[in-house]
């Protein structure tokens, strides 16, 4: 299994603290040693840092922990390979363009029975079940919406029905973002929390690092973190229910 | 104008030396201060480092100069904005999937008269003439080759005819790669050289850095570098002719 980490915020926020906890699980406090990746949106643009090496001793992961890239939407993943060899083309997240937006996707779980790829332009480059499922999703979306959707929440509700079909073929937990929205689909396991004023302190579960959010924030900040497993020990993480999805925009859960 | 840098090699080779020269031109020895990016292929996978900040003082550019990522195909770009604001979505290179391969593209020049986007799936995300032209190219290619081409050199010859059409609409120098091939189209200005045994020494034009390639190579290594302007002072750089294109694979120029 792999681990997912996502963020949605109403002001550009760095994710150094949370990523530090996640990165430790990549070959140190956890077994997810088969690569890692993180995508930061800035407006409609994005940049991805990834490495097929374990995050716990990746020099690039070190940069991401030290260098505060501020973003309103982040998708990150650490991998424990179960389908497809350890290589860069099999390292999440995956990003592809649709409707003039870049869509970034990461998957936790495994699919034992892959859906046939519908007619459509998206073809996998690597060998993972995850990328295959992403191509299938995008092809389904393009077929349903040849032109860019007008009603984005309705489009994400449709994504949730597709994700439920994938969950029936194995285990499918997913993060999906276009830089504006962050969608979290819980097939079996995801946790989330929203930080807002009054801000407190938090300590990582995986490393002896504490942060005082009050020092780093303004009273208006709203920051939601989504993760496979809770990352901190002194905050309340809410489990999502199997089959549930959260659609976040600028830190707020929209479909609740 | 911007500057391009490409590499094609028959063994995974780092580009730290050449990138160091290029990066200095991004706001220090040159005016290309509006962002930079570099894409490294490893097999069919790739990773891109990019920053809308000037490369001469980018912490991420510093990592790329220090950390030897070895690759057989590299595309890099430093930007002096002339179309589209300075932002991440307007920062080259651009990478999109077609035929189950990731295509990475960077453009030097400017187009005064953009071609209408043919029917096709590719839509620009940012505002540059460059990305618009990339979408147009890919749409033309998908229209001509709905299934993956069997004859890759013929496909690149077709790309060259499309590039010539773009050159008629302004200035169009381009690098294009899928990790196996590196194509360089010269609309007005590109230089190239191939390093092979016996290897010598070279000194950057933009910084007082010398390298002895003999220390870093084996006699079998073949490494071609393509750049807008020569990067070193003690090697012979060959100018390409306007309208000419080079198709490189594992360091060798195929279409000569």
């Amino acid at each position: 299994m792999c681990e997912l980490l996502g963020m949605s915020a109403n002001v550009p926020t760095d994710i150094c603290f949370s990523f530090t906890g996640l990165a430790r699980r990549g070959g140190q406090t956890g077994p997810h040693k088969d690569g890692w990746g993180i995508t930061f949106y800035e407006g409609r643009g994005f940049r991805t840092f990834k490495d097929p090496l374990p995050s716990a001793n990746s020099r690039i992961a070190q940069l991401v922990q030290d260098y505060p890239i501020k973003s309103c939407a982040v998708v990150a993943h650490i991998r424990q390979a179960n389908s497809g060899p350890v290589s860069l083309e099999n390292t999440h997240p995956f990003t592809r363009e649709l409707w003039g937006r870049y869509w970034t996707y990461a998957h936790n779980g495994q699919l034992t029975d892959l859906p046939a790829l519908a007619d459509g332009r998206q073809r996998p480059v690597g060998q993972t079940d995850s990328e295959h499922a992403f191509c299938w999703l995008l092809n389904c979306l393009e077929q349903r919406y040849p032109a860019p959707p007008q009603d984005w929440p309705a489009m994400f509700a449709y994504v949730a029905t597709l994700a439920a079909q994938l969950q029936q073929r194995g285990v499918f937990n997913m993060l999906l973002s276009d830089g504006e929205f962050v969608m979290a689909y819980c097939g079996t396991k995801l946790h989330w929390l929203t930080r807002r004023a009054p801000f407190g302190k938090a300590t990582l579960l995986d490393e002896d690092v504490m942060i005082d959010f009050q020092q780093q924030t303004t009273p208006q900040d709203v920051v939601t973190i989504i993760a496979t497993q809770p990352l901190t020990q002194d905050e309340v993480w809410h489990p999502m229910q199997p089959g549930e999805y959260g659609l976040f925009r600028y830190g707020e859960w929209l479909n609740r």
Side-chain angles (χ1 to χ4, degrees), chain A:
Chain A
M1 292 288 276
C2 309
E3 292 212 28
L4 299 172
L5 170 64
M7 185 186 80
S8 171
N10 69 342
V11 287
T13 302
D14 82 66
I15 198 169
C16 295
F17 175 69
S18 299
F19 184 73
T20 296
L22 187 78
R24 286 297 164 279
R25 297 182 188 174
Q28 191 167 312
T29 60
H32 316 89
K33 58 174 179 34
D34 300 322
W36 63 275
I38 186 166
T39 297
F40 300 88
Y41 279 90
E42 292 165 47
R44 293 188 153 208
F46 72 97
R47 45 186 157 182
T48 296
F49 297 85
K50 55 170 66 170
D51 209 332
L53 297 174
S55 52
N57 45 26
S58 159
R59 173 127 179 239
I60 302 170
Q62 192 60 51
L63 175 85
V64 174
Q65 289 169 58
D66 291 346
Y67 183 62
I69 295 177
K70 289 179 187 284
S71 173
C72 291
V74 173
V75 172
H77 183 272
I78 55 177
R79 180 165 185 238
Q80 186 178 8
N82 54 44
S83 151
V86 176
S87 65
L88 201 49
E89 71 261 34
N90 291 334
T91 305
H92 306 222
F94 302 102
T95 303
R96 294 182 179 227
E97 177 268 330
L98 180 63
W99 306 315
R101 297 182 178 214
Y102 290 120
W103 296 90
T104 296
Y105 157 101
H107 166 224
N108 157 307
Q110 57 195 97
L111 300 174
T112 46
D113 175 25
L114 290 171
L117 282 178
D119 284 345
R121 58 174 189 154
Q122 307 284 349
R123 291 183 173 91
V125 175
Q127 300 79 38
T128 61
D129 52 354
S130 305
E131 191 197 7
H132 184 104
F134 183 37
C135 291
W136 178 79
L137 270 174
L138 292 178
N139 284 339
C140 291
L141 289 174
E142 195 171 25
Q143 207 160 9
R144 174 103 159 205
Y145 298 98
Q150 301 295 310
D151 181 346
W152 290 103
M155 191 283 293
F156 283 103
Y158 179 56
V159 172
T161 67
L162 297 171
Q165 293 177 46
L166 291 168
Q167 170 62 27
Q168 290 179 350
R169 293 167 176 268
V171 174
F172 192 75
N173 300 294
M174 178 194 76
L175 295 176
L176 180 70
S177 181
D178 66 344
E180 179 179 351
F181 298 96
V182 176
M183 174 182 180
Y185 179 82
C186 175
T188 55
K189 185 164 66 174
L190 274 181
H191 292 78
W192 67 280
L193 61 72
T194 298
R195 296 179 184 132
R196 61 175 93 227
F199 289 94
K201 296 177 185 182
T203 309
L204 289 180
L205 282 165
D206 295 81
E207 181 155 1
D208 191 17
V209 175
M210 195 269 280
I211 193 167
D212 181 353
F213 290 111
Q214 197 157 11
Q215 306 279 329
Q216 314 241 347
T217 51
T218 73
Q220 288 72 43
D221 293 9
V222 179
V223 180
T224 293
I225 305 286
I226 307 125
T228 307
Q229 304 270 23
L231 287 163
T232 54
Q233 56 181 261
D234 33 20
E235 298 179 293
V236 178
W237 289 79
H238 311 287
M240 289 179 66
Q241 299 308 310
E244 186 183 30
Y245 77 98
L247 178 61
F248 301 93
R249 185 164 176 265
Y250 306 138
E252 301 289 357
W253 185 319
L254 297 186
N255 62 321
R256 258 173 103 81

